[in-house]
């Protein structure tokens, strides 16, 4: 949920300090803050792929983070530990100008898990118990900008940093579902790879890579060895995987989650380009052979024992 965090992070941090009422056994969405400030707020629904029309008395200013369901949907009630799909419209509270609109894009994911409950109980409590189709309003108080560099003595007094206006976020709750389970091993149809690639065998459930006779590559190779039937991986996703990595030049193993006895979880945008490009479009349950040229890995310098062109076998066990 990187785009979500980029928009909401200041609000999330502030809302953490706000606290909130403890969730009930059968929770309903809980408001927080100066909710009367939303009394003038009117929304015109334009469907799920277009931001709603928004009208409110300006300027909107709050002194504490404020959140409330302002338009109730008719869908199922959202439960704890589900994954909510949302779209966001962010507005300047002073003049209503648009700051961000994610409605035309793929919905963001918001995991309603214990991590969110601990880190921002107010956000968690507002979503858990809300109904699918609802729109929530979140107002983030005005904040001081970072101070400017200190002037020289001849410049006189340091000017006060400008204050950012209150931000108003309209968040539409599009759907909610239970998270997909993380697999313990790849599941799917076995695929016979073309000749000329490193060969992969398995011993006690752990893939072993043999690079003998495999030539250097100038382009990325991403070859299914097992074709999974789960969700399709997007570049913006966070993956849970098991993997083994070796150097193409001599087969030296430089990394293995199997050796650590625990799968790895990471955002696909936070790894080498060969992984990002090679795993996007694959499916959960797949075992994928990646042959990665050095320019899509760690370059001429390498990293640790990983040098030059690299070979990985990656088991895609989960995605979120």
């Amino acid at each position: 949920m990187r785009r979500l965090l980029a928009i909401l992070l200041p609000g999330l941090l502030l809302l953490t300090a706000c606290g909130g009422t403890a969730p009930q056994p059968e929770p309903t969405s809980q408001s927080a803050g100066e909710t009367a400030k939303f009394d003038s707020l009117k929304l015109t629904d334009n469907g799920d792929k277009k931001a709603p029309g928004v009208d409110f008395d300006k300027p909107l200013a709050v002194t504490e983070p404020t959140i409330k369901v302002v338009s109730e949907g008719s869908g199922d009630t959202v439960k704890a530990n589900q994954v909510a799909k949302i779209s966001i419209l962010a507005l300047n509270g002073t003049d209503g100008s648009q700051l961000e609109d994610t409605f035309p894009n793929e919905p963001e994911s918001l995991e309603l898990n214990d991590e969110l409950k601990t880190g921002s109980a107010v956000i968690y409590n507002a979503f858990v118990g809300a109904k699918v189709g609802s729109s929530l309003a979140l107002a983030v108080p005005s904040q001081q900008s970072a101070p400017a560099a200190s002037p020289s003595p001849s410049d006189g007094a340091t000017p006060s940093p400008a204050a950012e206006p209150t931000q108003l976020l309209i968040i539409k709750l599009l759907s909610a579902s239970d998270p997909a389970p993380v697999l313990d091993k790849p599941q799917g149809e076995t695929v016979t790879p073309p000749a000329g690639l490193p060969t992969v065998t398995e011993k006690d459930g752990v893939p072993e890579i043999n690079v003998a006779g495999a030539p250097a590559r100038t382009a990325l190779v991403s070859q299914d060895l097992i074709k999974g039937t789960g969700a399709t991986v997007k570049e913006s996703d966070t993956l849970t995987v098991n993997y083994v990595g070796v150097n193409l030049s001599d087969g030296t193993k430089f990394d293995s989650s199997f050796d650590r006895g625990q799968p790895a979880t990471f955002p696909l945008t936070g790894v080498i380009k060969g992984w990002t490009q090679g795993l996007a479009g694959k499916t959960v349950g797949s075992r994928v052979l990646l042959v990665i040229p050095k320019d899509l890995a760690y370059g001429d310098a390498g990293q640790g024992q990983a040098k030059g062109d690299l070979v990985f076998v990656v088991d895609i066990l989960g995605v979120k």
Side-chain angles (χ1 to χ4, degrees):
M1 60 178 196
R2 280 159 294 285
R3 283 178 59 84
L4 169 67
L5 285 177
I7 301 167
L8 282 185
L9 185 57
L12 287 169
L13 294 176
L14 287 167
L15 285 167
T16 300
C18 256
T21 309
Q24 302 300 314
E26 295 292 336
T28 57
S29 174
Q30 298 176 33
S31 303
E34 303 166 58
T35 56
K37 296 289 183 72
F38 292 147
D39 286 352
S40 69
L41 181 61
K42 294 180 176 60
L43 304 182
T44 302
D45 187 75
N46 290 317
D48 291 346
K49 298 301 291 183
K50 185 177 180 181
V54 182
D55 185 49
F56 60 94
D57 290 344
K58 305 173 188 66
L60 171 67
V62 294
T63 58
E64 61 180 318
T66 300
I67 190 166
K68 179 183 179 181
V69 171
V70 293
S71 175
E72 187 173 46
S74 58
D76 293 337
T77 299
V78 178
K79 299 178 177 61
N81 296 313
Q82 288 190 317
V83 178
K85 295 289 188 179
I86 61 176
S87 290
I88 304 165
L89 175 68
L91 304 172
N92 182 315
T94 299
D95 58 15
S97 58
Q98 180 178 303
L99 304 174
E100 183 76 31
D101 178 9
T102 74
F103 275 79
N105 308 325
E106 285 296 311
E108 308 286 349
S109 295
L110 179 62
E111 297 177 59
L112 303 169
N113 53 21
D114 287 342
E115 182 181 355
L116 180 64
K117 183 178 179 181
T118 300
S120 184
V122 174
I123 291 286
Y124 176 91
N125 289 340
F127 277 89
V128 173
K131 292 183 178 180
V132 171
S134 295
S135 292
L136 295 86
L138 167 63
V140 182
S142 171
Q143 302 174 64
Q144 290 293 107
S145 299
S150 299
S152 63
S154 61
D155 290 331
T158 303
S160 299
E164 296 181 358
T166 292
Q167 292 187 27
L168 172 64
L169 283 74
I170 305 300
I171 308 168
K172 188 166 185 179
L173 178 50
L174 302 173
S175 67
S177 59
D178 295 332
V182 175
L183 304 175
D184 57 5
K185 61 181 180 180
Q187 296 178 6
E189 181 181 352
T190 300
V191 178
T192 301
L197 297 178
T199 57
V200 179
T201 56
E202 185 177 301
K203 183 178 180 180
D204 299 327
V206 178
E208 296 184 340
I209 304 171
N210 185 343
V211 299
R217 298 281 173 169
T218 58
L220 173 69
V221 174
S222 178
Q223 172 64 47
D224 286 324
L225 302 178
I226 297 173
K227 175 66 173 176
T229 58
T232 300
V233 174
K234 302 187 296 294
E235 285 194 11
S236 58
D237 285 336
T238 294
L239 303 186
T240 298
V241 301
N242 264 325
Y243 66 93
V244 179
V246 305
N247 294 324
L248 179 61
S249 60
D250 58 10
T252 299
K253 182 171 67 174
F254 57 82
D255 196 8
S256 172
S257 65
F258 290 94
D259 291 350
R260 294 190 292 273
Q262 183 174 340
T265 299
F266 50 80
L268 196 52
T269 54
V271 291
I272 58 175
K273 291 180 180 178
W275 273 56
T276 305
Q277 297 176 16
L279 296 181
K282 298 299 183 180
T283 50
V284 174
S286 295
R287 170 169 287 178
V288 182
L289 173 67
L290 298 174
V291 185
I292 303 177
K294 62 183 179 182
D295 61 326
L296 296 178
Y298 300 110
D300 291 325
Q303 180 170 295
Q305 292 183 299
K307 300 183 183 301
D309 298 342
L310 307 180
V311 182
F312 289 91
V313 171
V314 184
D315 293 346
I316 305 174
L317 305 178
V319 63
K320 60 183 179 179

